[in-house]
Amino acid sequence: MRREEVERRLRDQLQSVNSWHEFIEARLVLNPNDLVPEPQRRELDQLPGSLHVLGDRAPLEYEFEGGLPVVSIRLKEGQARRLRPVDLPPLDRPLRFNVISGRRVVLRASSFEELQRRLHALTSDRRRKRQWGRR
C-alpha cells in the first residue's frame, strides 16, 4: 500500500478530532492485513531478524532509505573490526552498517568498504586525541 493511502486512512480516523486533547486521546488503527497482501506478508515474515556474525547474533533493522528498502545490521565495534565480506550473507536489499560502542552508534556506513574506511578514521581520531591529551 502506498504512503498516500496510509495517510488517507489516518486522516479519516482523525476527522472528528477538534482539539489537542482529542488528538492525544484518539485511537488510530492500521490493520497490517489491510495494508499488506498475505503473500507479501509471508515473504516478509521469512526475512531474518538477526545474523550470526563472528560467534554472536547481530540484530537487523529493516528500514526505508529514500523510499527504497534497506536493512541495517547493528554491530559492536569489535565485531565490525573483525568482519570480513565473506561473513555477510546475501540479502534481498542493500545492507547498511551501524556500529555501536557502549549504548550509542559511533558510526554508520552504506557499504563494507565505507565501514572499513570509517573504522580506520575512528581509530586515527582516537590516537590523535590520546596523543593530544598527553601534552
Side-chain angles (χ1 to χ4, degrees):
M1 175 173 293
R2 296 180 49 87
R3 179 182 177 155
E4 294 82 13
E5 176 63 18
V6 172
E7 289 174 356
R8 185 193 60 75
R9 287 177 185 225
L10 293 173
R11 259 192 319 274
D12 288 350
Q13 293 178 53
L14 291 170
Q15 262 186 335
S16 63
V17 171
N18 295 309
S19 70
W20 179 251
H21 178 73
E22 288 177 0
F23 176 76
I24 296 298
E25 296 293 318
R27 184 164 190 270
L28 299 173
V29 178
L30 291 174
N31 184 345
N33 297 328
D34 295 339
L35 301 174
V36 182
E38 175 64 27
Q40 188 177 9
R41 278 200 324 276
R42 275 197 308 272
E43 185 178 316
L44 293 171
D45 283 342
Q46 297 302 312
L47 294 172
S50 64
L51 294 179
H52 191 75
V53 177
L54 304 168
D56 291 320
R57 298 302 283 173
L60 296 174
E61 297 171 0
Y62 293 88
E63 308 165 328
F64 286 92
E65 187 177 273
L68 300 173
V70 297
V71 61
S72 295
I73 184 169
R74 183 179 294 251
L75 298 165
K76 297 174 189 166
E77 189 174 340
Q79 288 175 311
R81 291 188 183 283
R82 295 186 314 271
L83 190 66
R84 300 168 303 159
V86 70
D87 297 324
L88 299 169
L91 296 167
D92 69 339
R93 59 199 70 210
L95 181 62
R96 303 296 186 246
F97 300 88
N98 292 323
V99 178
I100 58 171
S101 181
R103 291 185 177 176
R104 63 185 183 92
V105 174
V106 292
L107 71 84
R108 297 180 197 279
S110 298
S111 68
F112 183 80
E113 293 75 21
E114 182 183 359
L115 173 66
Q116 296 303 303
R117 283 193 310 274
R118 294 185 128 204
L119 285 169
H120 180 74
L122 184 64
T123 301
S124 298
D125 288 347
R126 287 178 177 161
R127 281 191 191 127
R128 276 195 300 280
K129 286 179 183 176
R130 277 196 302 266
Q131 288 172 349
W132 183 257
R134 291 184 190 151
R135 293 180 188 184

